[in-house]
Amino acid sequence: MSDSSLSAPTVLPAADRPDVAARLREALLGASFTADGLLDLLGAPAYAALARSETVPALRATRGDTPLELLVRLFLLQQPVPYVRVADVLPVEECLEAGWLVRAGADGLAATVDVRPYGGLDGEDWFIVSDLGCAVGGAGGIASREEGVVLGVGGASTTLAGITVRRPVRSALDLGTGSGIQALHAGRHATRVTATDVNPRALHITALTLALSGAPAADLRQGSLFEPIRDDETFDLIVSNPPFVISPGARLTYRDGGMAGDDLCRTLVQEAGERLNEGGFAQFLANWEHVEGEDWQDRIGSWVPRGCDAWIVQREVQDVTQYAELWLRDAGDHRGDPAEYQARYDAWLEEFEARKVKAVGFGWITLRRTGSAVPSVTAEEWPHPVEQPLGDTVRAHFDRLDYLRGHDDAALLDAHFRLAPEVVQEQVGLPGAEDPEHVVLRQNRGMRRATTVDTVGAGFAGVCDGSLSAGRILDAIAQLMGEDPALLRERTPAQIRLLVEQGFLEPADGAD
């Protein structure tokens, strides 16, 4: 992955002035320039519009003269504000000296970077620094700006933060840190955080994000993928929201990895295994190609490095025309010369056709370093709504894998289980029918899965409270149904195993 950055759009604030960042942070918090404060000021419609890169509703909502309105116009909406009013809110002279602010006209001030309030998973009041015009929404026409700019918070950033396993660890690596969002989260539970990026401007902005958020500093290193990491370095957690867009050429650093097809994501996954400590997690967002004549699950499963369990979740699939249009619009190409737009569109489709790509998948890939002789690789499609944050759900998935590996069918029948919280049963059938056509178990938390079970499975799950072993429950069901207990014990463990694997049943301690 090569750095194709051009000259920086603006001079950045000094990264070696933590004293000024601390005073600025105190002033921002004092004015309620927080995620909750923004929502209260703007209202839900204008707040949501910012996420779509639409600023007009927010501009209308900040026409007053309160400290919070001034800060929103200054740091989020890039509007000059009067010096005399800002001086009542911020340590202006220090911010000018450190480069957070510049003079605008005879009596105004302007920000040199975007600063977006960001609420952490545990309610922390943080601030994400990014280049001007990049704090809200997506790229929003980034192709019309200087290359090498650093984006702020987007949906992909928050998705990765939500699915990441959060537990105390010694070391964490944020690979391709961007504006530092993942490093910020990792600093809450990792003793040492290393953050890398091919773009030196991103590393500078990450330092600003951490300082302005009152977070510990990270070890910042420039380079592509694992290049900045020493051969003897390993980590307990690796996270990456890489430039995963599959495109013809590397026009834009923020999205294009500079490798053909989905090779960047494949390389990232394959090389992560040897960088993980035993029991460590690596979690990525990725795009992957759906190639004619290949099963996507087998294709992505082949990326998984030896010695790692994997859980691959495909959240969305787009045909190649939808995909090309999405990213051409994201870059703002549709707003320029129509002939140039059509040429770029055609080049994209030409590339896909040459590689026999019919669609592109998007999703999450989680690896866990395991000592098991037979690692588990699960690749599934789940486009349905989920409940974020999912970090605990992801960790529980791998805990259940360990449990099932350690229990053969006989041990499974001797074990005790409990129905997971928030699981409900639905019966599907014609109105007035004596028996339902289907019985569905549905989770109302986490992945919010639904699975169809037979009468035995529904009955079994319904009485699992941890008090009786699975075998004892099946014997009781066999007696009620007039079935042979031995045959029921023989054919049911596979269904129990699936219910445990998918989180409908949880292992429980107890005795008959």
Side-chain angles (χ1 to χ4, degrees), residues 155-164 240-242 244 265 268-269 282-288 296 300-301 303-304 309-316 361-367 377-391 393-395 397-398 446-449:
S157 302
T158 55
T159 293
L160 179 58
I163 68 172
T164 299
S240 183
N241 175 21
F244 52 65
C265 292
L268 182 59
V269 173
Q283 299 186 261
F284 317 107
L285 301 185
N287 273 182
W288 45 77
W296 77 267
I300 310 308
W303 295 1
V304 177
D309 291 327
W311 186 17
I312 302 160
V313 181
Q314 181 167 268
R315 296 288 290 155
E316 184 180 1
F362 167 80
W364 321 323
I365 299 176
T366 300
L367 307 177
V377 176
T378 301
E380 61 175 316
E381 187 163 13
W382 190 254
H384 311 292
V386 298
E387 181 190 47
Q388 286 275 35
L390 274 172
T393 299
V394 173
R395 184 177 180 181
H397 169 87
F398 290 92
M447 290 292 286
R448 293 178 172 166
R449 294 186 185 277

Side-chain angles (χ1 to χ4, degrees), residues 55-350:
T55 58
V56 171
L59 285 167
R60 292 177 58 82
T62 56
R63 290 177 290 185
D65 204 30
T66 66
L68 180 55
E69 288 170 301
L70 287 168
L71 294 177
V72 172
R73 292 203 300 273
L74 179 66
F75 284 118
L76 269 183
L77 303 178
Q78 290 85 62
Q79 301 296 306
V81 294
Y83 179 105
V84 293
R85 287 296 295 115
V86 180
D88 294 333
V89 183
L90 301 178
V92 169
E93 289 303 319
E94 292 175 73
C95 288
L96 283 167
E97 180 189 354
W100 289 93
L101 301 175
V102 292
R103 294 189 178 273
D107 57 359
L109 292 171
T112 58
V113 288
D114 277 343
V115 177
R116 174 177 172 174
Y118 177 73
L121 298 174
D122 295 319
E124 302 92 344
D125 285 319
W126 288 334
F127 299 98
I128 307 300
V129 180
S130 61
D131 270 309
L132 291 175
C134 299
V136 296
I142 196 170
S144 63
R145 310 181 195 141
E146 297 278 1
E147 175 59 299
V149 297
V150 179
L151 302 186
V153 180
S157 302
T158 55
T159 293
L160 179 58
I163 68 172
T164 299
V165 174
R166 304 292 173 192
R167 55 177 184 159
V169 295
R170 290 171 299 172
S171 56
L173 170 63
D174 176 13
L175 195 152
T177 186
S179 55
I181 301 164
Q182 309 308 325
L184 188 57
H185 281 284
R188 292 282 291 154
H189 60 100
T191 303
R192 175 175 57 87
V193 176
T194 301
T196 71
D197 205 287
V198 72
N199 183 0
R201 189 174 182 84
L203 298 176
H204 191 128
I205 283 181
T206 291
L208 298 175
T209 289
L210 297 177
L212 193 58
S213 297
D219 180 4
L220 305 177
R221 305 183 195 177
Q222 184 184 355
S224 178
L225 297 180
F226 290 101
E227 286 175 1
I229 306 305
R230 297 191 308 269
D231 290 342
D232 61 345
E233 281 187 286
T234 55
F235 300 88
D236 301 310
L237 174 67
I238 299 172
V239 292
S240 183
N241 175 21
F244 52 65
V245 178
I246 301 168
S247 64
R251 286 179 56 226
L252 300 171
T253 301
Y254 85 96
R255 73 174 194 195
D256 303 320
M259 295 186 184
D262 51 19
D263 284 353
L264 182 136
C265 292
R266 176 184 56 79
T267 301
L268 182 59
V269 173
Q270 288 179 337
E271 293 184 357
E274 63 185 20
R275 299 295 185 175
L276 283 176
N277 293 323
E278 190 70 24
F281 286 89
Q283 299 186 261
F284 317 107
L285 301 185
N287 273 182
W288 45 77
E289 296 174 332
H290 284 231
V291 179
E292 200 173 317
E294 294 185 26
D295 182 276
W296 77 267
Q297 293 165 309
D298 292 340
R299 188 169 186 277
I300 310 308
S302 70
W303 295 1
V304 177
R306 298 181 64 180
C308 288
D309 291 327
W311 186 17
I312 302 160
V313 181
Q314 181 167 268
R315 296 288 290 155
E316 184 180 1
V317 180
Q318 292 184 315
D319 67 53
V320 292
T321 58
Q322 290 175 308
Y323 188 80
E325 291 165 13
L326 168 68
W327 291 107
L328 286 167
R329 289 178 176 275
D330 185 79
D333 290 327
H334 62 299
R335 299 172 186 162
D337 178 25
E340 188 173 354
Y341 171 78
Q342 290 178 6
R344 286 176 176 163
Y345 195 155
D346 186 64
W348 221 311
L349 296 186
E350 186 75 20

Side-chain angles (χ1 to χ4, degrees), residues 469-512:
S469 70
R472 289 282 299 274
I473 294 174
L474 290 178
D475 290 344
I477 292 175
Q479 185 174 3
L480 286 172
M481 298 180 64
E483 289 200 27
D484 184 336
L487 292 177
L488 195 59
R489 279 175 171 255
E490 183 178 344
R491 67 178 173 86
T492 306
Q495 188 171 188
I496 297 174
R497 195 171 292 276
L498 182 63
L499 292 175
V500 172
E501 180 182 340
Q502 294 190 343
F504 291 96
L505 295 177
E506 298 176 347
D509 295 328
D512 291 352

